[in-house]
Amino acid sequence: MEANALRETLSCDNMAPLWEVLRGLTPREPKQVIDPVIWRAATIRANMDIACESISAEDAERRVLVLENPRLRGRSMATNSLYAGIQMILPGETAPAHRHTASALRLILSGQGGFTTVNGERVEMARGDFIITPSGELHDHGADGPDPVMWLDGLDVPIVQLLNAGFSADGAHERQNLRRPTGDTVARYASGLVPVGHQTGPVSPVFHYPYARAKAALEQLAKADDWDGAEGLKLRYTDPTTGRSPIPSMAAFLQLFPADFKGQAFRETDAAVGCVVEGTLRVTISGQTTEMRPGDVFVLPGWAWRSFETTDACTLFSFSDRPLQEALGFWRAEKAQAA
Ligand code: GTQ
């Protein structure tokens, strides 16, 4: 039968010829299907100020500007597997307590006096802090100081959507009741000890990773001088009770580049969302070089060649779906041969 006729015949019975789509289903290598988009700090802030005039955190439930990849417009996706957004809370506002299947991670960008309460324990937010909300845990956010508080949100929403496994519910009160003192989980699980009888699970019991501690760790390692030729010094956030990623679907990293770094080109299968915390980073993706400054957020498409350069020292936060790719045996990385 002729190809068009065959396709139509099969289509009537909800079937299709594999040979017409095979290479699309099993590509020779990952395709470039997303853009290396950048959201500049100044643009984020200008649009956020407009959003703050337009709606309260309470009315919005979450006052968030979704960071959309132009190649995935309208789907609330920064990459094929990652949702990213910028959230702001004005002094006195509350983002009311709710829970959902999607896990969230946050990088605090600006403002003092912000807090989030996760599962009955409140943490105070400081710039550069990394905070997680594991799947299904009740969380509300607020700003009790004089400043607006802003942060980068990363969620595994596209994964939950792919699996169509999402549930959500509202808390009984806008601000959940506190059931543990601040610092409780860090003392219990992140002091090099764990409570006797503690059962490890898929998510980290620790949900606050202060920037001051992470930065101090990088600076201590810098004294040993063992920089990677492509990545500088790169640490990943862990569940201290297992060593695994704090969230099973997403990994988060903090890395330090020394001054005058000229990194080797490399690529990895996991697309990442990056945000400069301190300093300036020149990022070259697929031959295009852009200077990233603090608060700029950008996408590193999976399997695209990238390299990093600095003039002064720079700290970069990033997150990706690497734990999923590793669990499935998919993750690959490659470094360019030194010239
Ligand atoms: O803070 O709970 O960016 O539920 C998107 C959905 C943040 C949150 C987002 C959310 C949240």
Side-chain angles (χ1 to χ4, degrees), residues 133-175:
T133 308
S135 178
E137 293 195 4
L138 197 63
H139 55 287
D140 52 276
H141 322 297
D144 282 354
D147 298 340
V149 179
M150 192 170 77
W151 63 83
L152 169 66
D153 280 324
L155 282 84
D156 57 3
V157 161
I159 299 296
V160 178
Q161 287 179 327
L162 175 72
L163 303 175
N164 192 25
F167 296 86
S168 70
D170 294 328
H173 313 286
E174 281 208 336
R175 293 190 178 191

Side-chain angles (χ1 to χ4, degrees), residues 62 64 83 87 98 100 106 139 141 153 155:
R62 294 294 184 267
V64 174
Y83 161 101
Q87 181 157 180
H98 72 191
H100 39 70
R106 317 184 196 281
H139 55 287
H141 322 297
D153 280 324
L155 282 84

Side-chain angles (χ1 to χ4, degrees), residues 272-297:
V273 175
C275 180
V276 171
V277 182
E278 289 183 90
T280 301
L281 187 65
R282 282 188 301 284
V283 181
T284 302
I285 302 171
S286 305
Q288 284 271 92
T289 304
T290 316
E291 196 163 272
M292 307 293 177
R293 291 176 291 274
D296 291 347
V297 179

Side-chain angles (χ1 to χ4, degrees), residues 81 156 159 248-250 321-331:
S81 61
D156 57 3
I159 299 296
S249 53
M250 294 185 286
D321 63 13
R322 189 171 309 178
L324 277 185
Q325 296 207 20
E326 286 177 335
L328 298 171
F330 296 167
W331 190 75

Side-chain angles (χ1 to χ4, degrees), residues 36-118:
V37 48
I38 303 161
W39 299 273
R40 294 292 185 189
T43 310
I44 290 171
R45 186 56 199 252
N47 284 319
M48 192 54 98
D49 287 343
I50 297 169
C52 285
E53 286 168 15
S54 309
I55 193 162
S56 70
E58 287 83 358
D59 286 346
E61 188 168 337
R62 294 294 184 267
R63 190 200 288 113
V64 174
L65 303 180
V66 178
L67 303 181
E68 290 199 311
N69 197 293
R71 301 267 290 272
L72 303 167
R73 188 84 73 191
R75 296 167 66 188
S76 302
M77 290 173 167
T79 75
N80 297 94
S81 61
L82 303 172
Y83 161 101
I86 303 286
Q87 181 157 180
M88 187 180 260
I89 313 251
L90 296 176
E93 286 185 329
T94 305
H98 72 191
R99 61 174 95 240
H100 39 70
T101 302
S103 300
L105 57 81
R106 317 184 196 281
L107 173 73
I108 310 308
L109 297 174
S110 62
Q112 286 184 3
F115 73 87
T116 185
T117 305
V118 178

